Amino acid sequence: MTFQLPELPYAPDALEPHISKETIEFHYGKHHATYVNNLNKLVPGSPFENASLEEMIKKAEGGIFNNAAQVWNHTFYWQCMGPNAGGSPTGRLLNEIVSNFGSFDAFKETFSASAATLFGSGWAWLVVDAEGKLHITQEGNAGNPLRKGLKPILTCDVWEHAYYIDKRNRRPAYIDDFWKLVNWDAVAKHYES
Amino acid sequence: MTKVSDLIFPALPYDFKALEPHIDAMTMEIHHDRHHKAYFDNLQAAVKDSPMASMDFIDLLNNISKFPVAIRNNGGGHYNHDLFWKVMSPDGGGQPNGVLAAAIDKHFGSFNAFREKFETAAKTRFGSGWAWLCVKADGSLDVCSTPNQDNPLMDVADCKGTPILGLDVWEHAYYLKYQNKRPDYVGAFWNVVNWTEVEKNFKNAQ
């Protein structure tokens, strides 16, 4: 199976001023594209020749896992953001967030802390477990909660490449701005699916 | 021995712009004044009012699995950056001489073979971490890499030894100048390696 770099769901400058066009051009055009290219080089002749990204995330190790998960993680990250977004969720998702975390602000605070304290490269996630309960998790490097049987519905990339051009060492400033970009309609769709 | 509470945040041994064009001044300033300073301050905060404050820093790193993860991350962050600044110099580059050159030839076959092995370690470390040249307990040289702010002094490391040369491959070390092109940064590093310092480290590790 040959994997393609999925189209970015908005223009590269659509997330400005929070995430610059330059960041998106490197992050999507170079990092994400490189993971796709690397995966396409690694898969032929491997036991994962006909596997989906999800199957590789659940079962592969080493380079195939790293690149498959990073392809999936980035595609999902782009979907979780958008221009004219931010604010807060509504309906069933909002109710679930409030019942799990006490309030939307308390949820944001916990998720932000999770993203800020992940040491090194990685991702912060909002996930749904098998019982339908929401959790916030951290994953290092290419880590993806699907491997643990959890369903991701929101993610924030905290590899330094996600924010270094715009924010340098100030990861918390990037996380603050991330909330202004979260596409809650997309997150609700992930939750309902 | 140096007690953790007696550690000092080191001044950079050269100007921010001294390593240009290989490492840019902005990167050096943020890397030293923000990243390294945060590790140093967080380490001191984590040992404050605890018996760890009066421990020998190297002993602490050698036994890091017994201590909180904040010590591992910030203690490693301080040790690694402190070494990193010293093993670079505006007068660096070229090749080692003397006993270090002989030891590199002996253990890797040639300087070029060593260089290739070290570059591979630096380029293939996935995510954040460091590449190392270290002296193992039996006196031999080894090249390896560790994740995040771990290092070969730590009992949790896959490769153990005394680091004598380290290369930071966290994205913050190169992103402003090289962006996604880590191999270009790794290649440029050789122009600033302070082999006099690395040889001194080698002799001290014997």
Side-chain angles (χ1 to χ4, degrees):
Chain A
M1 191 184 304
T2 303
F3 295 93
Q4 307 283 338
L5 178 66
E7 234 176 273
L8 196 66
Y10 30 76
D13 62 355
L15 306 183
E16 290 197 336
H18 311 300
I19 297 180
S20 68
K21 182 178 179 215
E22 191 187 0
T23 291
I24 297 288
E25 281 173 349
F26 281 109
H27 200 174
Y28 169 75
K30 303 289 182 187
H31 291 279
H32 195 177
T34 301
Y35 294 125
V36 173
N37 292 340
N38 287 346
L39 186 64
N40 284 329
K41 282 182 212 153
L42 290 168
V43 162
S46 81
F48 296 95
E49 204 144 22
N50 299 306
S52 65
L53 289 178
E54 287 80 2
E55 286 166 325
M56 290 187 269
I57 288 169
K58 284 176 186 161
K59 295 186 190 131
E61 304 289 341
I64 294 187
F65 170 78
N66 285 339
N67 287 287
Q70 286 295 74
V71 171
W72 196 102
N73 295 352
H74 283 91
T75 302
F76 191 75
Y77 171 65
W78 307 130
Q79 289 169 2
C80 287
M81 300 186 292
N84 312 310
S88 55
T90 54
R92 218 162 75 85
L93 176 58
L94 178 62
N95 292 340
E96 275 307 305
I97 285 176
V98 171
S99 85
N100 277 276
F101 302 102
S103 68
F104 178 63
D105 283 345
F107 153 74
K108 262 174 74 172
E109 200 172 310
T110 310
F111 187 97
S112 294
S114 180
T117 58
L118 185 281
F119 192 72
S121 303
W123 301 78
W125 301 87
L126 175 62
V127 300
V128 185
D129 70 16
E131 279 82 51
K133 198 169 152 36
L134 296 176
H135 301 273
I136 291 167
T137 66
Q138 295 175 323
E139 295 283 346
N141 292 340
N144 181 305
L146 287 169
R147 199 166 167 103
K148 297 169 180 161
L150 301 163
K151 190 177 82 167
I153 65 168
L154 171 68
T155 194
C156 181
D157 188 348
V158 293
W159 282 60
E160 287 173 322
H161 65 232
Y163 59 87
Y164 216 78
I165 289 173
D166 298 332
K167 305 292 199 290
R168 313 290 200 247
N169 60 307
R170 294 174 296 114
R171 190 192 289 183
Y174 157 72
I175 298 165
D176 280 351
D177 276 356
F178 171 75
W179 295 114
K180 297 166 190 159
L181 297 168
V182 174
N183 179 347
W184 287 108
D185 290 342
V187 180
K189 260 184 221 150
H190 298 151
Y191 176 66
E192 300 291 346
S193 71
Chain B
M1 87 161 240
T2 306
K3 284 199 279 181
V4 179
S5 58
D6 289 344
L7 293 170
I8 49 153
F9 178 66
L12 203 61
Y14 34 77
D15 288 348
F16 293 132
K17 62 177 190 310
L19 305 183
E20 291 199 341
H22 311 295
I23 303 179
D24 62 285
M26 175 69 83
T27 294
M28 289 304 294
E29 181 173 350
I30 299 172
H31 201 172
H32 177 269
D33 288 8
R34 306 290 173 184
H35 292 279
H36 186 179
K37 185 69 161 54
Y39 293 125
F40 181 83
D41 290 346
N42 290 340
L43 171 65
Q44 294 303 332
V47 300
K48 195 168 185 289
D49 304 323
S50 121
M52 293 182 287
S54 53
M55 276 188 69
D56 174 58
F57 185 42
I58 302 301
D59 275 352
L60 185 71
L61 295 176
N62 288 159
N63 296 286
I64 204 69
S65 62
K66 298 176 190 145
F67 299 98
V69 70
I71 306 293
R72 175 175 172 178
N73 292 343
N74 294 296
H78 171 63
Y79 178 93
N80 299 345
H81 286 90
D82 190 41
L83 178 74
F84 186 50
W85 312 132
K86 290 177 191 156
V87 295
M88 296 190 291
S89 161
D91 306 316
Q95 296 193 12
N97 297 304
V99 290
L100 177 58
I104 284 176
D105 285 347
K106 181 180 166 201
H107 293 289
F108 301 103
S110 67
F111 178 72
N112 282 342
F114 150 72
R115 187 174 144 145
E116 195 176 321
K117 197 169 181 205
F118 188 92
E119 288 202 8
T120 300
K123 289 189 268 194
T124 57
R125 166 52 55 188
F126 188 75
S128 303
W130 291 75
W132 304 102
L133 171 62
C134 49
V135 179
K136 293 202 287 190
D138 64 5
S140 64
L141 290 175
D142 198 12
V143 160
C144 66
S145 78
T146 52
N148 294 335
Q149 295 296 353
D150 288 356
N151 66 46
L153 291 172
M154 294 180 175
D155 57 1
V156 293
D158 289 336
C159 59
K160 299 205 183 44
T162 303
I164 62 171
L165 173 69
L167 174 58
D168 190 345
V169 294
W170 282 59
E171 288 173 324
H172 66 233
Y174 59 87
Y175 211 79
L176 296 180
K177 183 172 175 70
Y178 297 96
Q179 294 87 35
N180 60 306
K181 299 179 291 297
R182 187 194 289 182
D184 290 359
Y185 159 71
V186 173
F189 173 64
W190 301 111
N191 296 306
V192 295
V193 173
N194 180 349
W195 287 111
T196 310
E197 181 73 14
V198 181
E199 187 176 9
K200 193 180 93 190
N201 294 340
F202 175 66
K203 287 175 181 164
N204 289 340
Q206 299 297 302

